Amino acid sequence: SQQGEEDPQALSIQEGENATMNCSYKTSINNLQWYRQNSGRGLVHLILIRSNEREKHSGRLRVTLDTSKKSSSLLITASRAADTASYFCAYGSFQKLVFGTGTRLLVSP
Amino acid sequence: DAGVIQSPRHEVTEMGQEVTLRCKPISGHDYLFWYRQTMMRGLELLIYFNNNVPIDDSGMPEDRFSAKMPNASFSTLKIQPSEPRDSAVYFCASGTTPYNEQFFGPGTRLTVL
């Protein structure tokens, strides 16, 4: 399967802590994206990093990309209860997006 | 813009019945995607269209599934006949390229009894 793999599958932290999620993929890519999905809702795009970039920031989000290791990480700093959701990586490859398996993040007040 | 619109939001049907899911993409988006999400298989791309033309339908599980896009503002995904294993959440998404940011609808939760 070309599906991206994410770890951990689930992560439970306290408000104020940082959350780190990792994504690995198997093919060459144009870009790598991260999406958030709240329970019962559609996916929402968070951030996109191109294959020639190594790091990107957006607010409390920091994404890194290592194309030599075919991996990416998403860091959410100073987490809030509202960050509770599932997070998916998706890589742009061969004219389509391939989504990872997701990480369920629970942030407790 | 209202975003991607899907209907119905929930569908419960019996095995063997025909099911039609509907999607209205964001105006100006040339690409429309249909995904299926299950616990076991995650999020799978079923088919996508560019300018109303199907480009990649390799993810369509079998002949019981068909998708059409008669115009730029409407697409359908049909399952006939439906089976219990088709139970899933079906998402429609749209975008301006096949591999950049995609905008997802709220999904249709399908239950086949």
Side-chain angles (χ1 to χ4, degrees):
Chain A
S1 168
Q2 287 188 331
Q3 191 174 37
E5 295 290 331
E6 292 183 58
D7 77 272
Q9 290 187 344
L11 180 60
S12 184
I13 60 175
Q14 300 288 110
E15 265 192 328
E17 294 180 340
N18 296 342
T20 300
M21 298 159 233
N22 303 294
C23 170
S24 61
Y25 55 92
K26 299 176 182 178
T27 69
S28 60
I29 63 172
N30 298 303
N31 63 66
L32 191 134
Q33 304 170 42
W34 288 88
Y35 288 77
R36 182 184 72 204
Q37 184 179 32
N38 289 88
S39 180
R41 309 288 289 273
L43 280 74
V44 175
H45 183 267
L46 295 176
I47 192 167
L48 180 154
I49 185 167
R50 302 195 186 285
S51 59
N52 61 354
E53 298 176 310
R54 292 296 168 259
E55 187 171 313
K56 198 163 185 178
H57 297 254
S58 177
R60 294 184 296 113
L61 305 179
R62 172 179 169 251
V63 171
T64 62
L65 178 64
D66 187 336
T67 52
S68 66
K69 295 182 179 178
K70 290 186 168 54
S71 67
S72 174
S73 67
L74 172 67
L75 169 67
I76 304 174
T77 60
S79 63
R80 307 166 182 168
D83 295 328
T84 294
S86 291
Y87 292 82
F88 294 86
C89 68
Y91 57 93
S93 173
F94 300 109
Q95 296 292 312
K96 62 184 177 184
L97 277 187
V98 179
F99 282 82
T101 50
T103 293
R104 294 188 308 279
L105 174 64
L106 173 63
V107 182
S108 301
Chain B
D1 201 321
V4 176
I5 299 172
Q6 290 188 248
S7 65
R9 292 294 310 277
H10 302 273
E11 177 82 28
V12 180
T13 190
E14 293 189 347
M15 183 173 61
Q17 296 298 306
E18 177 179 295
V19 175
T20 299
L21 312 180
R22 297 173 176 79
C23 175
K24 176 179 168 56
I26 292 172
S27 177
H29 284 185
D30 294 331
Y31 287 84
L32 182 140
F33 310 84
W34 282 102
Y35 290 90
R36 177 173 69 177
Q37 186 177 39
T38 61
M39 289 295 293
M40 291 296 295
R41 300 172 70 92
L43 194 65
E44 304 172 278
L45 176 65
L46 300 177
I47 185 171
Y48 79 88
F49 295 82
N50 176 214
N51 290 325
N52 315 334
V53 176
I55 301 301
D56 183 347
D57 65 354
S58 59
M60 295 286 263
E62 47 198 276
D63 292 346
R64 297 184 299 106
F65 285 68
S66 63
K68 294 182 179 180
M69 191 165 186
N71 58 62
S73 59
F74 184 66
S75 177
T76 60
L77 178 67
K78 187 174 294 186
I79 308 172
Q80 166 64 15
S82 58
E83 298 183 2
R85 60 193 167 117
D86 301 330
S87 296
V89 181
Y90 291 81
F91 289 102
C92 175
S94 69
T96 56
T97 77
Y99 49 81
N100 285 339
E101 180 180 0
Q102 294 183 10
F103 296 79
F104 281 74
T108 295
R109 181 173 296 277
L110 172 65
T111 303
V112 183
L113 303 174

